[in-house]
């Protein structure tokens, strides 16, 4: 890494908004911005703008991880109370908040199509692991979760330790490569559009790299601003491009706030 790129990464990490972002991702974006011939400050600003698009825009309020963990810990002995607490936390992240109206229907519908699941990989997970109480998983199921935020990953790890699953949360830069561990089910929920803002080939690399018997790939029905803009048709066309010629068995599910595809590889 060049000295200039190292300085750019540090400049971004010095910002409170991005201090927990995976440095490898910052470097990947920053290197491209510098390669465009931008001045240093312009490259830093462009890198932050891209990070906002792919991650920070979904944080609708500053995370209160310690406070949330205390609330969840107090609620964990009662499933109804735990679900209420999980919903309250998920409301702080735009992506999971959009799923709240369909949460029960979403996982009931999807898991009804699946055999017994003993391992899950949740990529670009955000706060989706808080939906584990809605998933009919066996005790001891391995639940791998990854995202670009170190503080979020620490929170997810602590939360999964309250549950009868084996949670393994880690930082990852999916724009480079997805995790390679084999699992029964991989969740890539609304991940492809974010990844393809960084690199147009990232969605294809994601589907190539996931080692799962089943994939659940989803797309938002509306933009963060609430507009439709023909998104469902566009995302379905993009998914069809990504899966063309793979010979996969695919089921489509259209929910109120999300378009989902369940793939048997």
């Amino acid at each position: 890494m060049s000295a200039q790129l190292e300085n750019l990464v540090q400049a971004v990490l010095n910002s409170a908004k991005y201090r927990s972002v995976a440095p490898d991702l910052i470097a990947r974006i920053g290197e491209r911005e510098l390669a465009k011939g931008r001045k240093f400050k312009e490259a830093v600003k462009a890198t932050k703008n891209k990070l906002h698009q792919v991650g920070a825009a979904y944080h609708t309020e500053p995370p209160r991880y310690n406070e949330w963990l205390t609330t969840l810990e107090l609620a964990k002995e009662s499933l109804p109370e735990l679900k209420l607490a999980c919903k309250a936390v998920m409301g702080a992240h735009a992506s999971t908040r959009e799923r709240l109206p369909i949460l029960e229907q979403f996982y009931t519908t999807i898991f009804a199509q699946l055999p017994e699941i003993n391992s899950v990989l949740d990529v670009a997970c955000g706060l989706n692991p808080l939906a584990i109480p809605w998933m009919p998983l066996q005790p001891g199921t391995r639940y791998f979760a990854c995202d670009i935020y170190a503080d979020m990953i620490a929170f997810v790890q602590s939360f999964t330790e309250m549950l009868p699953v084996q949670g393994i949360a880690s930082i990852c830069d999916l724009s480079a490569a997805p995790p390679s561990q084999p699992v029964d089910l991989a969740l890539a929920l609304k991940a492809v559009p974010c990844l393809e803002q960084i690199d147009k080939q990232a969605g294809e690399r994601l589907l190539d790299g996931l080692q799962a018997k089943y994939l659940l790939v989803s797309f938002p029905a509306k933009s963060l601003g609430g507009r439709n803009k023909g998104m469902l048709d566009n995302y379905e066309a993009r998914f069809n491009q990504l899966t063309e010629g793979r010979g996969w068995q695919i089921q489509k599910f259209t929910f109120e706030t999300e378009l989902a595809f369940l793939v048997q590889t």
Side-chain angles (χ1 to χ4, degrees), residues 111 114 117 119-121 183-187 212 214-216 262:
F111 274 85
L114 293 168
I117 298 297
S119 54
V120 177
L121 170 61
V183 291
D184 293 336
L185 173 66
L187 306 177
Y214 293 88
L215 308 176
L216 181 61
L262 181 62

Side-chain angles (χ1 to χ4, degrees), residues 26-47:
I26 299 173
R28 192 174 309 283
I29 296 172
E31 187 173 32
R32 291 179 182 173
E33 297 304 331
L34 289 170
K36 294 174 183 177
R38 297 184 188 276
K39 294 180 180 178
F40 181 78
K41 287 186 177 180
E42 292 173 347
V44 170
K45 182 178 180 181
T47 301

Side-chain angles (χ1 to χ4, degrees), residues 149-195:
Y149 290 97
D151 52 357
M152 178 187 286
I153 285 300
F155 167 74
V156 167
Q157 181 66 52
S158 296
F159 170 70
T160 58
E161 289 170 3
M162 301 179 194
L163 306 177
V165 300
Q166 184 183 348
I168 305 100
S170 60
I171 302 169
C172 66
D173 173 10
L174 294 177
S175 68
S180 59
Q181 66 263 32
V183 291
D184 293 336
L185 173 66
L187 306 177
L189 304 182
K190 295 188 275 191
V192 171
C194 289
L195 288 173

Side-chain angles (χ1 to χ4, degrees), residues 8-9 12-13 18 21-31 47 51:
L8 182 147
V9 171
V12 174
L13 289 172
Y18 303 111
V21 173
D24 287 351
L25 175 60
I26 299 173
R28 192 174 309 283
I29 296 172
E31 187 173 32
T47 301
L51 289 170

